[in-house]
Amino acid sequence: MKSRPRSRHWLLLILLVMVLAGCQANSPDQTPASRPEGNDASLIERTATSLPISPPAITQPAIAGNPAPGTETPSPTFVPPPASFEPSAFYTLTAVLNYSTHYIAVDQQIRYQNRSSEPLPDIRLMIEPAYYPGAFQLNSITSQSGPAIGEIAWDTGQITLPLITPLMPGEILSLAISYAIQLPSPTPSAETRPIPFGYTERQTNLVDWYPFIPPYREGSGWLANKAFFFGEHLAYEAANFTVNLRISDENSFHVVAASAPAQVEGEWRRYHLEKARGFALSVSTQYQVKSAQVGNVEVTAYTFPFHPAAGEAVLDTTIKALALFNQLFGDYPRKTLSVVEADFLDGMEYDGLYFLSNGFYNLYQGTPAEYLIAIAAHETAHQWFYGLVGNDQGNEPWLDEALCTYSERLFFERYYPEALDWWWTYRVNYYQPRGAVDGSIYNPEGYRAYRDAVYLNGAVFLEELRKTVGDESFTAFLKAYVDQNRNQIATAQGFFELLAQFTEADFGQLRQRYFSSP
Ligand SMILES: [Zn+2]
């Protein structure tokens, strides 16, 4: 018997809580004994009643040249990064998955060039599967060329490889790693947090499933954040990936969604993805597959068979969102985008692929004013704010989450302006968002405080900022921000330095009001 939710009401309760943050991550193995702070049934009951809060008066047309009164736009002088960005790291993964026993054996090579100006005495490897007790089994790790490695030092979710001689600037280290993962099974439940990684009866998701080298910051070292109870903690350098996948118990019913298109060679699916934050896969025997084209990009929706109408709506929303964000933020850099119905209660972004909870599909009524639509637009926006433009998700999560939440607003503004009031009222203002927009995921006040500050107050801040600088400057700035930070890791400081080049309006007070470190 399939483990479908017992009742629609049950699902509504959980879903509405979990999704209000869009894509809030789990923290493997650090799940608190109590439920997340935001998982509060009384909150949901209140949500279901009519709300006295009026949405902000926003009547401007879709971002289109509406300078705020009294503001002028200076000529920006920023210098975009060189177009010829070359990643420091190349990952080659050869993986054999046994779908029915949930076991994957991997041989991995990492070619890493030290592109900093500092000698590196050690290499850090982030190993997310190691957060799950007994899941990750390291067989061997060896240096194939470059400095030899000393004794491995384990820490939670990561290891340090001391180098016998430092990796000098420009020098290349090649590592070979052999490991296996016994996948965990994060069954959807009101008692556990949603976890994308692992398998359910319906699907197997490989996300953050391989060791990778975190960004190296000159002066401060590896940017290697630890998982917390909520939020996404990782930061990723843009890297190149070659992935070879074989399903050892292959049958004709396996459908594989991935961050890149597959080339099938015999039993192998081969993938190549460049300048990406990661490589994700989702395998199922149930997916119904439907594709559509936006320019040169093929969007493919992988949907469970019982949700055809919602699957159509997700595909349609993603296509519309891609077209809009191409226009606003610059072209999506990939040939494909996979949209996968998730058997966990959340949405979650990966490069070239995003998950959207089946709970949203369950609740879909066929109108635009629904979470299915809002979160599909949100996750699509992550292809820019997370994918193309990286950030320190643990310490500056607003740089992707506030921008993606605000991108929902841009989506509705463009395609369904009649649903904007719903969006402001039920997605944002009902929660009376407050708190420093630049808070980290390590918020001691809990998940709701984090979400309300970073996602929701973040969107309110961006709305105020847009009004302050005017539509024209706001639009030009966002596009330049993406351009300048393409393949890089953006910072709040860089955000405001660039913004100052696009407006003479005084946004200092806004920053003081919404940020803890103005
Ligand atoms: Zn998000």
Side-chain angles (χ1 to χ4, degrees), residues 239-425:
N240 286 4
F241 293 85
T242 295
V243 176
N244 304 302
L245 175 70
R246 184 168 73 83
I247 300 176
S248 60
D249 54 339
E250 178 71 279
N251 61 50
S252 58
F253 303 115
H254 285 125
V255 179
V256 181
S259 291
Q263 287 193 315
V264 178
E265 291 178 20
E267 293 184 308
W268 291 90
R269 290 173 173 86
R270 303 192 191 281
Y271 304 91
H272 191 66
L273 188 66
E274 294 194 345
K275 301 171 190 171
R277 307 291 168 180
F279 195 98
L281 293 155
S282 180
V283 186
S284 175
T285 59
Q286 297 192 21
Y287 291 145
Q288 306 293 299
V289 180
K290 191 155 190 184
S291 297
Q293 202 82 12
V294 189
N296 296 322
V297 180
E298 183 174 49
V299 178
T300 302
Y302 298 83
T303 307
F304 295 130
F306 37 87
H307 285 143
E312 286 275 355
V314 167
L315 184 60
D316 178 66
T317 300
T318 306
I319 285 167
K320 286 187 164 103
L322 258 184
L324 174 63
F325 301 151
N326 275 340
Q327 189 186 341
L328 293 177
F329 310 140
D331 283 346
Y332 174 68
R334 315 216 174 281
K335 293 187 182 122
T336 60
L337 176 59
S338 300
V339 185
V340 181
E341 181 171 357
D343 211 6
F344 54 87
L345 293 172
D346 211 344
M348 186 60 72
E349 71 277 11
Y350 297 94
D351 220 322
L353 181 151
Y354 77 80
F355 290 99
L356 201 55
S357 175
N358 58 3
F360 298 125
Y361 292 66
N362 281 339
L363 295 170
Y364 182 61
Q365 303 278 329
T367 74
E370 300 194 35
Y371 273 97
L372 183 82
I373 307 302
I375 307 303
H378 178 111
E379 302 302 340
T380 304
H382 271 302
Q383 294 303 314
W384 283 265
F385 307 113
Y386 156 85
L388 198 52
V389 175
N391 61 300
D392 177 349
Q393 294 185 110
N395 293 300
E396 293 191 314
W398 76 276
L399 283 171
D400 62 310
E401 295 304 354
L403 281 162
C404 288
T405 306
Y406 195 74
S407 295
E408 298 171 36
R409 184 255 197 270
L410 298 174
F411 174 87
F412 283 108
E413 175 181 351
R414 171 63 62 93
Y415 294 109
Y416 305 109
E418 71 278 12
L420 256 184
D421 281 1
W422 168 83
W423 186 84
W424 279 112
T425 303

Side-chain angles (χ1 to χ4, degrees), residues 93-361:
L93 298 115
T94 300
V96 178
L97 169 70
N98 188 305
Y99 187 82
S100 51
T101 62
H102 322 294
Y103 184 84
I104 184 163
V106 187
D107 284 317
Q108 176 174 340
Q109 273 91 43
I110 305 177
R111 178 190 181 277
Y112 181 78
Q113 182 171 31
N114 179 4
R115 292 181 183 267
S116 80
S117 63
E118 301 174 358
L120 303 179
D122 56 51
I123 293 289
R124 193 71 58 90
L125 283 175
M126 309 303 283
I127 306 181
E128 291 292 297
Y131 277 102
Y132 303 84
F136 185 80
Q137 180 195 334
L138 180 64
N139 299 324
S140 64
I141 178 163
T142 54
S143 169
Q144 304 286 290
S145 68
I149 56 179
E151 192 171 338
I152 297 170
W154 278 92
D155 195 357
T156 311
Q158 48 187 272
I159 59 176
T160 299
L161 303 175
L163 300 175
I164 302 304
T165 56
L167 187 69
M168 301 307 288
E171 194 179 359
I172 292 170
L173 173 68
S174 293
L175 297 173
I177 312 172
S178 169
Y179 55 94
I181 305 167
Q182 185 65 59
L183 294 165
S185 181
T187 305
S189 151
E191 304 303 322
T192 61
R193 300 183 54 76
I195 298 175
F197 179 63
Y199 74 93
T200 69
E201 193 178 328
R202 295 190 185 117
Q203 69 186 178
T204 291
N205 299 327
L206 298 174
V207 301
D208 295 321
W209 52 287
Y210 46 82
F212 70 92
I213 300 176
Y216 183 82
R217 311 280 84 181
E218 294 190 5
S220 58
W222 300 109
L223 181 45
N225 300 329
K226 296 284 175 61
F228 196 54
F229 299 97
F230 45 81
E232 286 108 75
H233 58 285
L234 294 168
Y236 309 90
E237 288 275 20
N240 286 4
F241 293 85
T242 295
V243 176
N244 304 302
L245 175 70
R246 184 168 73 83
I247 300 176
S248 60
D249 54 339
E250 178 71 279
N251 61 50
S252 58
F253 303 115
H254 285 125
V255 179
V256 181
S259 291
Q263 287 193 315
V264 178
E265 291 178 20
E267 293 184 308
W268 291 90
R269 290 173 173 86
R270 303 192 191 281
Y271 304 91
H272 191 66
L273 188 66
E274 294 194 345
K275 301 171 190 171
R277 307 291 168 180
F279 195 98
L281 293 155
S282 180
V283 186
S284 175
T285 59
Q286 297 192 21
Y287 291 145
Q288 306 293 299
V289 180
K290 191 155 190 184
S291 297
Q293 202 82 12
V294 189
N296 296 322
V297 180
E298 183 174 49
V299 178
T300 302
Y302 298 83
T303 307
F304 295 130
F306 37 87
H307 285 143
E312 286 275 355
V314 167
L315 184 60
D316 178 66
T317 300
T318 306
I319 285 167
K320 286 187 164 103
L322 258 184
L324 174 63
F325 301 151
N326 275 340
Q327 189 186 341
L328 293 177
F329 310 140
D331 283 346
Y332 174 68
R334 315 216 174 281
K335 293 187 182 122
T336 60
L337 176 59
S338 300
V339 185
V340 181
E341 181 171 357
D343 211 6
F344 54 87
L345 293 172
D346 211 344
M348 186 60 72
E349 71 277 11
Y350 297 94
D351 220 322
L353 181 151
Y354 77 80
F355 290 99
L356 201 55
S357 175
N358 58 3
F360 298 125
Y361 292 66

Side-chain angles (χ1 to χ4, degrees), residues 473-493:
S473 295
F474 186 75
T475 309
F477 161 69
L478 280 182
K479 199 162 193 172
Y481 170 78
V482 171
D483 207 34
Q484 188 181 50
N485 293 288
R486 183 179 296 264
N487 300 317
Q488 309 293 313
I489 294 174
T491 64
Q493 186 184 341

Side-chain angles (χ1 to χ4, degrees), residues 67-89:
T71 64
E72 292 173 16
T73 308
S75 299
T77 56
F78 76 94
V79 181
S84 59
F85 167 81
E86 277 298 319
S88 303

